[in-house]
Structure formats: C-alpha cells, structure tokens
Amino acid sequence: MRQLMENAVKYEHDPIVRLENAPRFLEVTVRESQEKRLVVVHIVNHGGGFEQPTEDPVNLKAIRVSLKMLHPFHSAHTVVRKVRLPVRLREGYASVSVPEVDVYEAVVFEY
C-alpha cells in the first residue's frame, strides 16, 4: 500500500525534495527565509527507533538531497558538520550529496 501511495503522489506531482540513497525512516522538513534568501532542508534520522532516535542512531552516508529549483540556488552547506556542498543542477532540481547524517542535519541552499 505504501508503494502504491508513493507512486500516486510521484505521478501527480513533482516533490519539492527528492532523496536518494536514503532509507524511509528519515523525516524531512523544508523552510524558507525570503529575507535571508535561503531554503533549509531539515533531516531527522529516526533509524535508532522512532521513540528514541538518539539512543543508537544508524549513521547514514552520502544522502543525495535534491531541492526543486524554487530560486537560482548558488551555494549550499550543512549546519551541523559545517561542510560546503557543491550544487549540481539537474532536471529542475538543485542537488547536493550530504556526506553524513547521524540524528540530525540541515542543508542550507542559498540564492
């Protein structure tokens, strides 16, 4: 049933965020600050258990985050690890590879 719903949503709409090399237990939230000219993609890793994700988190590597081109994004960086990320533009999305996600990470796309 889950796959059926995912396919229906993908068919009807282009998602604002696409994740690759990512498990289903990630929670993603997108926030924009027009004043600061940035969009932040928050990633919460529930891989250590939904109720207590921080107890024993599953460390994730090389998660590809692709954000729909709402603006002409020119740079991106992570908040927790403070890593500059090269932005690749492909298929109407700004795409970055997040090197590592423990419990939480955020990617800031600047325009």
Side-chain angles (χ1 to χ4, degrees), residues 9-96:
V9 170
K10 285 179 188 175
Y11 177 76
E12 188 61 32
H13 303 285
D14 285 336
I16 192 165
V17 175
R18 291 181 180 167
L19 299 178
E20 297 173 43
N21 193 32
R24 293 178 188 247
F25 49 75
L26 290 184
E27 178 183 339
V28 176
T29 306
V30 178
R31 298 281 187 237
E32 180 175 8
S33 170
Q34 291 179 344
E35 180 181 301
K36 294 182 180 180
R37 300 181 53 83
L38 55 84
V39 176
V40 181
V41 178
H42 299 271
I43 304 167
V44 179
N45 178 0
H46 291 288
F50 192 73
E51 293 172 9
Q52 292 294 328
T54 58
E55 272 187 26
D56 191 19
V58 174
N59 186 273
L60 304 172
K61 306 265 189 203
I63 302 294
R64 175 145 312 271
V65 176
S66 299
L67 178 64
K68 196 172 208 175
M69 288 292 291
L70 306 169
H71 305 282
F73 298 112
H74 60 78
S75 65
H77 66 275
T78 60
V79 172
V80 175
R81 297 193 184 274
K82 301 183 184 348
V83 176
R84 281 258 168 231
L85 304 172
V87 178
R88 290 181 31 202
L89 306 179
R90 57 185 215 185
E91 301 174 11
Y93 285 81
S95 183
V96 298

Side-chain angles (χ1 to χ4, degrees), residues 90-105:
R90 57 185 215 185
E91 301 174 11
Y93 285 81
S95 183
V96 298
S97 180
V98 180
E100 195 167 359
V101 177
D102 289 325
V103 174
Y104 171 82
E105 185 58 271

